């Protein structure tokens, strides 16, 4: 699969990929970001203390396990109990790049599963060329192997593309759908603005983080970096996987995957959300997705960017919790 050279496709690709691409950079930017916020650290400790399945340490204490699936081995971790929630990471991201306080908050009432996408960590690579639908198929194989009965599926950025393809190709494996800061696969999504693209490609951690969070959200950015720095042994995505994912995103964004054009088939309730000030993925793309989904609700978070789900974690996790609770019939 060759990368398409059109500027619009490349811009959309960068917009979809940035959130997770910045995470490894953010780990090296802790010093530049300043000390961790006391409120953020306290929140993480409180959530970890109430999240089941990993003792008092929450997701940080959860062991990495390997599920043997029909599409190869998949490395994963899980904590909590209750109706299941499956988190799908985005481009250039590992499962160590979900902030622990975010995962632990969801695990207070739910069984939360995080995992590595194809070719990352202990997850088997998929045959070339890698595509978003193939990643969705491997995700469905994990759902089956872990006996996650119709989980709530939450995908961020590229992960949201995989979640869409999963809901189209494997409808019995999705009970609720949460699409965070992501784009449709019908070729209509708006591209990333040139200035944000330049900041992303600068290689400067401060500039990269500046397009993940609005300028007046320094405290949220610091807390995010501090959360990621708690993982004891972070690891990186292989260069070849980064390249393969980029090509897969480009194909999806260009509308060349059938699943991306068939979102109207999805029948499950869905939450589509983004930051109103997302510098990388214009928030109009959320409305575009909402129009395609028959049973969707669109939420834009004010004064928040591509990392809105972590900046406004209490509000967002409460929204996800309510959606998942509807599936479980508890409310």
């Amino acid at each position: 699969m060759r990368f398409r050279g059109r500027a619009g496709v490349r811009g959309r690709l960068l917009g979809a990929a940035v959130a997770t691409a910045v995470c490894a950079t953010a780990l090296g930017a802790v010093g530049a970001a300043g000390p961790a916020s006391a409120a953020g650290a306290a929140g993480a400790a409180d959530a970890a203390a109430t999240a089941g399945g990993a003792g008092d340490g929450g997701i940080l204490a959860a062991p990495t396990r390997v599920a043997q699936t029909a599409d190869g081995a998949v490395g994963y971790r899980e904590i909590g109990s209750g109706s299941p929630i499956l988190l799908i990471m985005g481009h250039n991201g590992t499962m160590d790049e979900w902030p622990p306080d975010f995962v632990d908050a969801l695990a207070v009432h739910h069984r939360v599963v995080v995992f590595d996408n194809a070719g990352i960590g202990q997850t088997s690579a998929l045959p070339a060329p890698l595509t978003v639908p193939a990643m969705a198929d491997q995700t469905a194989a994990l759902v089956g192997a872990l006996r996650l009965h119709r989980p709530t599926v939450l995908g961020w950025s590229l992960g949201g593309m995989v979640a869409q393809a999963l809901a189209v190709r494997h409808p019995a494996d999705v009970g609720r759908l949460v699409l965070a800061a992501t784009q449709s696969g019908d070729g209509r999504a708006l591209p990333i603005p040139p200035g944000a693209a330049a900041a992303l490609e600068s290689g400067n951690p401060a500039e990269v983080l500046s397009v993940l969070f609005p300028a007046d959200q320094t405290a949220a950015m610091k807390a995010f970096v501090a959360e990621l720095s708690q993982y004891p042994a972070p690891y990186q995505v292989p260069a070849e996987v980064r390249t393969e994912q980029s090509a897969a995103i480009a194909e999806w964004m260009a509308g060349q995957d059938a699943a991306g054009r068939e979102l109207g088939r999805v029948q499950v309730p869905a939450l589509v959300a983004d930051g109103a000030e997302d510098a990388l993925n214009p928030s109009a793309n959320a409305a575009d997705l909402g129009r395609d989904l028959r049973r969707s609700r669109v939420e834009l978070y004010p004064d928040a960017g591509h990392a809105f789900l972590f900046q406004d974690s209490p509000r967002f996790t409460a929204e996800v919790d309510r959606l998942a609770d509807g599936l479980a019939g508890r409310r």
Side-chain angles (χ1 to χ4, degrees):
M1 182 185 307
R2 292 188 296 274
F3 181 82
R4 278 78 181 173
R6 291 176 295 165
V9 172
R10 178 169 175 77
R12 292 192 297 266
L13 167 62
L14 292 172
V18 67
T20 48
V22 76
C23 290
T25 305
L27 290 173
V30 176
S37 119
D46 290 345
T50 53
D56 291 338
I59 193 64
L60 291 171
T64 298
R65 298 185 172 95
V66 179
Q68 300 300 328
T69 80
D71 275 359
V74 178
Y76 74 98
R77 299 189 193 113
E78 65 173 286
I79 60 170
S81 60
S83 61
I85 297 178
L86 181 70
L87 305 185
I88 309 179
M89 180 49 72
H91 175 70
N92 195 26
T94 75
M95 59 181 161
D96 277 3
E97 290 164 10
W98 291 108
D101 63 344
F102 179 83
V103 180
D104 292 348
L106 291 173
V108 171
H109 298 299
H110 303 280
R111 177 189 179 189
V112 180
V113 176
V114 299
F115 69 100
D116 279 330
N117 286 318
I120 300 170
Q122 298 185 60
T123 299
S124 298
L126 293 172
L130 182 69
T131 65
V132 168
M135 295 173 69
D137 291 347
Q138 189 178 57
T139 303
L142 176 65
V143 170
L146 298 185
R147 299 182 179 179
L148 302 177
H149 179 63
R150 295 181 62 80
T152 295
V153 178
L154 189 165
W156 179 35
S157 206
L158 165 61
M161 299 174 191
V162 176
Q164 292 172 60
L166 177 67
V168 169
R169 293 170 66 86
H170 303 275
D173 290 331
V174 178
R176 295 288 193 270
L177 192 60
V178 183
L179 304 177
T182 193
Q183 297 116 321
S184 65
D186 56 14
R188 299 199 314 257
L190 297 175
I192 184 174
L200 172 64
E201 294 193 2
S202 69
N204 183 309
E207 287 193 34
V208 175
L209 288 166
S210 76
V211 295
L212 196 59
F213 294 89
D216 62 349
Q217 295 294 332
T218 304
M221 181 271 290
K222 291 179 179 178
F224 171 71
V225 173
E227 281 294 311
L228 295 186
S229 71
Q230 294 181 72
Y231 284 102
Y235 50 100
Q236 296 185 346
V237 176
E240 61 272 20
V241 174
R242 296 197 299 270
T243 300
E244 290 172 350
Q245 286 187 352
S246 294
I249 294 169
E251 183 169 293
W252 175 268
M253 295 302 300
Q256 295 177 354
D257 289 320
R261 303 189 302 271
E262 297 174 1
L263 200 57
R265 292 169 42 192
V266 174
Q267 300 292 326
V268 300
L271 171 64
V272 180
D274 202 350
E277 307 301 323
D278 192 337
L280 297 154
N281 177 37
S283 58
N285 287 335
D288 177 56
L289 276 172
R291 284 189 293 269
D292 289 340
L293 288 160
R294 297 183 181 182
R295 300 176 63 189
S296 68
R297 180 166 56 87
V298 177
E299 290 283 344
L300 295 180
Y301 286 65
D303 198 20
H306 206 65
F308 78 93
L309 61 172
F310 312 129
Q311 176 183 321
D312 289 332
S313 178
R315 176 185 165 189
F316 182 69
T317 55
E319 291 279 354
V320 176
D321 194 42
R322 282 192 290 270
L323 188 73
D325 279 345
L327 177 62
R330 295 209 317 258
R331 292 182 183 173

